Amino acid sequence: MRRRTLQVLLAGAVVAVLVVGGVVYGRLRSRPAAARGDPAVLAALAIMALERSGDRALSSAQVAVVLPLLRVLRDTDPEDVEASRALVRQILDALTPEQRREIRRLQQQRRRRQEGGAGQDPGVLRGRRESGPVGSVAPGGPAGGLSRAEIRRRVLDRVIARLEQRR
């Protein structure tokens, strides 16, 4: 009798662990792309940061390579994350090692701000309020009722327009 009770309890514990593990795995695995950050938006913001930096701005030759890729990226379905990542890789390949280091430095700086001390508002960057990680959309939906695709398009349109002015 005692052995049977122990077996039932052990089986119940195994089932509970499997259920909890399945739920956690499902949540981690099924995170929407917006929660991880849209690679197109992240790339666009990185290009804009380089353009603002002055000495690390894209050269004319880099603009000639990056601009068509940004246009294709703008027209790529936001749900096609693999295609977006492939285009972003091509864009990053057009940058110099120094420019890529600058992007990594800015990303680390941003992370440190987000992880900042208690009482600080990590959503404030250069005087603007942001709802979450750069390129992400708040869980309740994007600000102003815009879709993820529309936000992506607008950000990419801005970067494209800026680079077209330099041609």
Side-chain angles (χ1 to χ4, degrees):
M1 178 83 170
R2 188 173 215 182
R3 186 176 181 164
R4 180 77 174 145
T5 304
L6 186 58
Q7 287 175 339
V8 169
L9 288 175
L10 185 58
V14 168
V15 168
V17 167
L18 290 174
V19 168
V20 169
V23 169
V24 169
Y25 177 78
R27 285 184 181 216
L28 291 176
R29 177 110 176 149
S30 65
R31 271 177 62 193
R36 292 185 302 267
D38 185 335
V41 172
L42 295 172
L45 294 174
I47 297 294
M48 288 301 283
L50 289 174
E51 285 296 299
R52 281 191 222 111
S53 72
D55 61 332
R56 291 191 182 86
L58 275 64
S59 69
S60 297
Q62 287 174 313
V63 169
V65 171
V66 168
L67 199 50
L69 293 169
L70 286 170
R71 288 183 185 126
V72 173
L73 192 55
R74 175 190 58 197
D75 298 332
T76 302
D77 181 1
E79 298 303 320
D80 192 353
V81 177
E82 288 309 312
S84 295
R85 285 185 183 145
L87 287 163
V88 168
R89 275 191 293 276
Q90 289 180 348
I91 290 168
L92 293 176
D93 287 346
L95 303 179
T96 66
E98 183 179 86
Q99 288 169 323
R100 288 192 296 267
R101 275 193 300 275
E102 178 65 9
I103 290 170
R104 281 192 299 276
R105 186 189 70 75
L106 292 170
Q107 288 170 335
Q108 289 170 349
Q109 184 179 31
R110 168 73 181 186
R111 266 187 235 113
R112 281 192 299 271
R113 281 186 185 144
Q114 285 181 325
E115 295 167 355
Q120 287 184 335
D121 183 357
V124 176
L125 178 62
R126 293 187 197 104
R128 295 187 312 251
R129 288 235 8 119
E130 297 176 7
S131 61
V134 175
S136 71
V137 177
L146 297 175
S147 69
R148 235 181 92 225
E150 184 60 27
I151 291 170
R152 174 185 173 126
R153 176 171 281 287
R154 287 183 181 194
V155 169
L156 287 166
D157 279 343
R158 251 185 216 166
V159 175
I160 290 168
R162 178 164 180 146
L163 293 179
E164 284 175 337
Q165 289 175 351
R166 293 198 39 218
R167 289 175 79 192

